[in-house]
Structure formats: structure tokens, C-alpha cells
Amino acid sequence: MKELYYAQIIVDVPTMQTNKPYTYLVPESMTNTLQPGMRVDVPFGHRHVMGFVVGLRATTDIPISQLRLVTKVLDLTPVLNTELLNLSDYLAQETFAFRISILQTMLPNALKANYERVLSIIDEVDDDVANRLFKGLEQMTYNASDFGEQDIALLSKLRQEHKIDVAVTVANRAKIKTQRAYQFGEDIEFLENELQNLRQSAKQQHKLLTFILGHFGETWVKKELQEVLDVSDAVIRQAVEKKWCYITQVELLRDPFATTDISPTEPLPLNDEQRNAYEQITGTFDSGRFQSFLLEGITGSGKTEVYLQAAQHVFKQGRTVLFLVPEIALTPQMVRRVKSRFGAQTAVLHSGLSDGERYDEWRRIERGDVKIVVGARSAVFAPLDNIGLIIVDEEHEVAYKQTDNPRYNARDVALWRGEYYQIPVILGSATPSLESRARAQRGIYTLLRLTQRAGKAQLPAVEIIDMKETLVNGPETIFSDQLKEKLLDRLHKGEQSVLMLNRRGFSSFVMCRDCGFVPRDPNCNLAMTLHMDSHTLKCHYCGHEEPIPTICANCGSKRIRYYGTGTEKVEQELAEWLPGARVLRMDQDTTRKKGSMDKLLQKFGDHQADILLGTQMIAKGLDFPDVTLVGVLNADTALGLPDFHASERTFQLITQVSGRAGRAQKAGEVLVQTFNPEHYAIAYAKHHDYEGFYRQEMAVRHAGNYAPYYYTVQIQASHADENEAAKQMLQIARWLKKQAGSDIIILGPSPKPIAKMRNRYYFQIILKFKQRDAMDEHLQELQDRSQKAKDGFKLSIDREPVSFM
Ligand code: ADP
Ligand code: ZN
């Protein structure tokens, strides 16, 4: 075998210069162990940093004298496989991020580098320092939180006087939990002899030794051994003394969902539409091709059953499945459904896990102990290496996009992995994103439609309540008379209701209470956002700003109001006129604690409450047979989003929440309260008509030069000096204009809606363009150049941003 002496290493120093691998010399002692995907400790400048080995070479052009040696290997086996290493390269380009930050994102926190600072005494220091701070030792690990300010100042002074030294080393944070186990035997003849010589009366020992012989060479955890054999501790202890077996440690993997008892389910016979979808997906898998499917199925049409049966098909061929959901905490029922079908071979990755638990799950996946991984956004990097199917449920959800660095979209990553493995990828939704639906139109995705509810359930009737009319008869209220009446009726019948108060994005805007008019900006035709600090309305795209109007531009009314209300206020009002009702409130406040959402839902499912009142988090995935009424209190908040997706989000929200009603035998009913009853997003949602909405919204997007007709990129920059930030952004805008000419629409630069944070000034430019490849080159160049600028100017580039706050 050819020895590989040179390692290509991505170092943990996020700058442009280090985005390409550095070459290091591999010491002879490591040539047999070091593999791509392992983490190492390497010298870098005057310090030590963590690095990822991305390649090994037998030769190099760089003179040996200029190379430094790898100091330490941090892993026993690679933590990233070849596929994920390749993916990191692609993603760094795609998201304008550093490769090191992508590599870090792919790993559980427990595997992230932890730098330890070790202080050592190198000259005479006084007794106080030696005894009190260093506790009589020569060295100590420095942890800033262990010391008061005075001591820190003292240490820093000693450092300047060269009396102590600071060395930084890379520590491995991942601690594998172990438990005691027994390794059976070394010498089978010896054991057989022992068995023959054993006294007949030693029944327990006889039983254990026979078992050991039957499982020679295996390792058994004590607990499991005792479960199977029912032998006492003393008997096992004797076995160790007699050298029948040896004590060892095995990795302890906890399963955070193991305690919830889940009853197994069997596949259901598929209906025709489901069968067609299933056959196309599994047919693609069988032929070993990459193909993306857009599974557009109304709520309750049985998309999940298609996912589960397609997954089953893939398992039979020994392949694994990656199943993404927007947010595990919001879809506990989905997790339960997957677990009840596939049992312990399911791994669940979600944000509620502690670092240790997450690492355990990650290890189970990496060791090949699971068949299916269910998880939210970052689970798309699950270290499965034999994937046969990828599912992205609720593919339209913005939660798939990471809003800070690295700004990846898990849906795109899923497609990349699908292509790598040449397998089917299912994007499922009742309300696909316009982008995905348009791709299906162009034949890039295969469109599969489920148009009927599975089983016997019917889609609920949706009634639109015009809230302007409630004002004619009295003071402003949260509840229309119609909604009050229906809630009472359900209460009498002992049926359940869900009330949704949309508070997405915390955006506030003003709306005329007489005609529902929301002021829009003259350039972009988008709802403007209310800024109380400056008493203005601002467009979050182009920065247009104007005073808050006192008179409605549409109808002349003076009743222009700030729009927005909290769940607590609704709860209070409910208690006033419906004192007998048992209400569960589900919002960010009541679900902060780990597992609390699951508990609330369980409670509601057990009929311990009549009304579930919540924010948009309740719109998703819930499946309660006794819910026969869904009320949307304020459909307009989504329309007021400062974003061209406002109509799309409104349609999605109403459709999703309507899907919660009448899921079983009892018919469901939905009431939507709005000041804009004629808005097309609301009208199409009333008729459950996604295709109609899609066609109209495409026309609106076309007219406004928005996605999917144009790509959108947001450039953000900040500087401590406001003028400097503005000046540099102007130069960037000019430069882009010169590069791209008429191929590009540039909005801004303008101050960000929240222009100043932590003494830095923020500006943004929004780009709209059609030629992606050409534009990417300019953006890459921009990124490179801004990296080299050393005057405190910071820039970030966000492709297809999902929020403009
Ligand atoms: P979706 O994921 O599209 O919202 P679900 O998968 O939750 O729909 O299905 C809705 C309900 O219909 C579930 O209770 C499910 O068990 C049931 N269901 C799904 N497929 C079938 C089928 N082929 N026959 C009978 N019931 C089905
Ligand atoms: Zn604008």
C-alpha cells in the first residue's frame, strides 16, 4: 500500500484565505490511522486549531520545509463520510459560507471543537498566585467564569510580564457514556472443562456457563443478561473470578422517545391515488435513478401513508430513509406514527435533545443501527450512508431555511443528497411552495396529486366572516357573533374546538378597520411595517418610509389601527363570555419547557380541554378526531407580512389549520375572521383550491418580477460608522449594476428596517435577477473582496431569504 504523507485540511479559522484546504505533513505514526473525515489538531500560526481532513495525498508541490506536522488525531473513525465532505464543498459555494462552518453545522454540538486554555507558571510568582490561583500546581485549565475580574486582571498582567504562559489545545468534548458489560470467554476448551467439572448442585452457575458457551465471543450488557437468564449479581461475580468472562464497557445509547409507549401499526391498503404515487416512487427507486416528486395532497389525503410504505419498500432492499419535518416539536404525532410503524430502528433528531442525547442518536445513525432518521432542518446532514429515499414533509415551510450562517435550505440539501445517491426524493405538501409547484409544471419534479381525503372523512366547510361588519354593531371585539355561537354549540355537544391566533414574524402593521386596507409601498407593492420608534411605516425591501397615516387612503376613514393581539388577551376574553370552557393555551410562553408541547397535546387528545387556543404552531400536523370546529381569529396578519410571500403564507395557513377540522367521522367546520374577505388568498383557501391559487399567484409574481420568475438575493452589511456602511454599500450597488447591467434589478441600498444594533449600522441591498450562474460569479467575487477589506465592514449574502425583518 502506498503511504500517504500529506493531508488536506480545512482549519477552524473562518476567513476566505482558509476556505481552501491547507496541506500538512502526516507523521509516520499516523499514516495507518488517519482518514478523510477525521478531525485533527494542527498548528496554525502561533496557536493550535481543530481541522477536518478532507483528503490525503502521496505527493505535494509545496516544499517540505514549509509544511507543518499534524499534531493529534481527535477521532478513532471518520466523523464525516466522503459524501458529506463533498456536500460541504458544494454548500460553501451555494450559501456563500465558509467550508469550516458547513462542516461544523453537519456535526452534533458535542463534536464541535472546544478550545482549552492551559496556563502554566514559567517564572517566579508570589505565593498568593501559586497557592490560591494555581492551587500549588504548575499548570491549570483556564476557565474565565472561575475567576473574578481582579484575578483575571492579575493573570493578564503576569502574562504580559512573561511569568505565565498560555497554551491553547483542542479538546474533544464528545463523551461516550458507557455501561458495564461482559465479554464471554477467551478459550472455549477451558470453558468446556469448567462445565464438566462443575458441581451438579450449582444450578445458577451451570445455567450461566452454558449460556456463555452458547454465545461464545459475544458481549452482553449486565442488565440484558439478567433479563434473559435471571441470575444474581453474585453468580456473575463468581463467573468473572473464574475467568469465564471479562468485564468490559460498552457504549450506552439512550433513546429519548423510548419511554412513550407506542403501539405498532400495519400498512393500510392504499387507495388508487396513493397507489399511483407509491408505484411511481418505488419504481424510480427500483431503477436506481434520481427523481424528485412533488406530492401535492390535500390535508388528510394520506401522504404519510405513502411515505411510510415507500420507506418500507426501501428497507426491504437494505437501504435507509431520511425523513425531514419542519419542526419536530410541532409534529409529535408524525414522530409517533413513524415510530409505531418502524419501532426502535427509528432515530429522532430534534432541538429538544440535550447535546449528549443528540450525540447518542447521531452515533446510532453513524454506526448503522437505524433504518430511518426523522428530524428537523439540521437532520438533513444525518450521517446515513446508504440512503434509498428522502422525504421532505411540508416542503413549503420556511423552517427549512436557516436564517443565519450558513444560510442553507434543507430542501435543497435533500435534493443534492438524492442526486448523489441516485434515489427518489419526495417533497410533500398540501400547499406546495410556488417555486416547487412551478418546477413541477416545468417537468423538473414529477407531480403526484392526492385529491381526496383518505378514509371516509370530508374536507370541512370554510366560512369567511367579514370583521368589518362586527364593528357596525358595537365596539371592537376579537370574536364575531358567528364564532361565539359555534363555540357555544360545540361546548354543549361535548366536541372540541381549535382557535388560532396568527402571530408569525412579530411584524406589526396598520390596517383600516372600516375597509381592511393595509398601506402598501409605492415601489414594491408590499405591506409596510410599523416602526414605533420612528413613528413611520417602512418597506422592508427598498427602504421606502412614510409617516403613519391618520386617514385611510382607500376609504377616508379615520379608524386606522395598529393590528395585533396576544393569546393571553384572547384567553381572558374567552373566560369572560365562556366561563365554563376548559381552555388550553399553546404559544411560545407555554411551550418553552422541553416536552411541554407534547403534554399539552396529549391533554387535548385525552379530552381534558374543550378549546385549544394557540399561535400558528397549532396549524400543523395535529390529528384529533373530536375537533369539529376551527376558528382563525385574524387571517389578516399573514397578509400584512412585509414580504412578497404574504398571500402564499395566508393561503397556506388557512389551508393547514382547516385541515385540523373533521379528520374523522364527524364533519368539520372552519370559520375565518378577516377584514379582507375578498382577497384571493382567502377566497381560494375557502374552496380548498390550491391549483386556482397557484395560477393567480403566479400571475401576481410575474407582474411584480418576483420568484419563481426571478431569483432573489439579499446583501446585508454593517459597519460601526454609519457613513462608511452607506458609502461602501453604494459602491457595491454601483459595481453590481456595472457587472450585470440590465440583467439585474437592484433595490437599495437602504438602511435595514432595524438599522442599528449593538453599535453597528445595517444596510441592505435586494437583488432580483434571472441569470443565476453569471450572478453567482459576481457575488462570489463580492464575498472575496469584502473578506479582504480589513476596516470592520461586514457583509453577508443570503440567497432566497425568507424573512425581511
Ligand atoms: P396527510 O399526511 O396527507 O395529511 P394522513 O396520512 O395524516 O394525511 O392521513 C389522514 C388519515 O387517513 C389518517 O388517519 C390515516 O390513518 C388515514 N388513511 C391514510 N391512508 C388511508 C387508506 N389508504 N385507507 C384508510 N385510511 C387511510
Ligand atoms: Zn419597497
Side-chain angles (χ1 to χ4, degrees), residues 521 523-524 539 541-544:
D521 102 289
N523 309 319
C524 312
C539 168
Y541 269 53
C542 66
H544 172 86

Side-chain angles (χ1 to χ4, degrees), residues 460-465 467 478-480 482-484 486-487 490 496-502 567 570 574 577 604 610-616 618-619 627-635 653-654 656-662 668-674:
V462 179
E463 189 182 339
I464 309 292
I465 311 289
M467 289 302 277
I478 301 172
F479 294 95
S480 61
Q482 295 95 315
L483 184 54
K484 281 183 177 174
K486 304 250 162 153
L487 280 169
R490 294 310 187 282
Q496 291 179 299
S497 306
V498 169
L499 288 178
M500 190 190 63
L501 183 78
N502 182 34
T567 40
V570 178
L574 258 180
W577 63 263
F604 192 62
D610 308 299
I611 298 173
L612 178 65
L613 162 68
T615 52
Q616 57 276 7
I618 63 172
V627 172
T628 56
L629 176 67
V630 169
V632 181
L633 296 172
N634 56 348
L653 195 70
I654 297 178
Q656 296 290 340
V657 76
S658 302
R660 304 308 119 223
E669 212 176 350
V670 180
L671 289 194
V672 178
Q673 300 190 153
T674 173

Side-chain angles (χ1 to χ4, degrees), residues 58 88-89 232 317 388 558 610 635 644 714 785 795:
S88 73
D89 199 13
S232 69
Q317 313 298 319
K558 287 190 176 146
D610 308 299
F644 69 83
Q714 182 184 40
R785 291 205 315 196
L795 180 133

Side-chain angles (χ1 to χ4, degrees), residues 65-113:
S65 61
Q66 289 177 20
L67 295 179
R68 302 174 78 177
L69 282 164
V70 174
T71 315
K72 200 160 74 183
V73 185
L74 299 177
D75 295 308
L76 297 175
T77 54
V79 291
L80 291 168
N81 61 29
T82 315
E83 182 232 343
L84 291 171
L85 289 174
N86 288 346
L87 173 59
S88 73
D89 199 13
Y90 155 81
L91 265 188
Q93 305 261 331
E94 177 73 11
T95 65
F96 305 100
F98 296 115
R99 207 166 159 197
I100 186 69
S101 63
I102 307 270
L103 291 166
Q104 304 269 31
T105 301
M106 289 176 163
L107 294 176
N109 274 335
L111 286 178
K112 274 169 202 160

Side-chain angles (χ1 to χ4, degrees), residues 18 28 113 125 156 257 269 300 332 370 521 534 574 664 688 749:
T18 59
E28 223 182 293
V125 294
S156 143
F257 271 81
V370 300
D521 102 289
S534 54
L574 258 180
H688 309 284

Side-chain angles (χ1 to χ4, degrees), residues 520-528 538-545 706 747:
R520 287 172 180 274
D521 102 289
N523 309 319
C524 312
N525 196 31
L526 299 174
M528 287 188 287
K538 289 185 195 176
C539 168
H540 279 196
Y541 269 53
C542 66
H544 172 86
E545 186 169 1
Y706 288 116
L747 302 175

Side-chain angles (χ1 to χ4, degrees), residues 36 96 131 197 223 226 264 319 321 367 383 411 427 437 530 561 626 636 650 653 655 695 726 735:
F96 305 100
N131 294 329
N197 299 336
K223 195 173 128 240
Q226 289 184 322
R319 305 282 289 270
V321 175
R367 297 192 328 188
R411 188 178 60 193
L427 308 176
R437 181 60 186 80
L530 178 68
R561 296 290 153 80
D626 284 338
D636 303 292
T650 305
L653 195 70
T655 306
R695 280 190 297 273
W735 179 79

Side-chain angles (χ1 to χ4, degrees), residues 686-704:
K686 173 179 162 68
H687 295 108
H688 309 284
D689 184 3
Y690 172 79
E691 289 290 312
F693 171 76
Y694 164 71
R695 280 190 297 273
Q696 178 146 359
E697 180 65 5
M698 283 296 273
V700 172
R701 300 283 183 90
H702 188 257

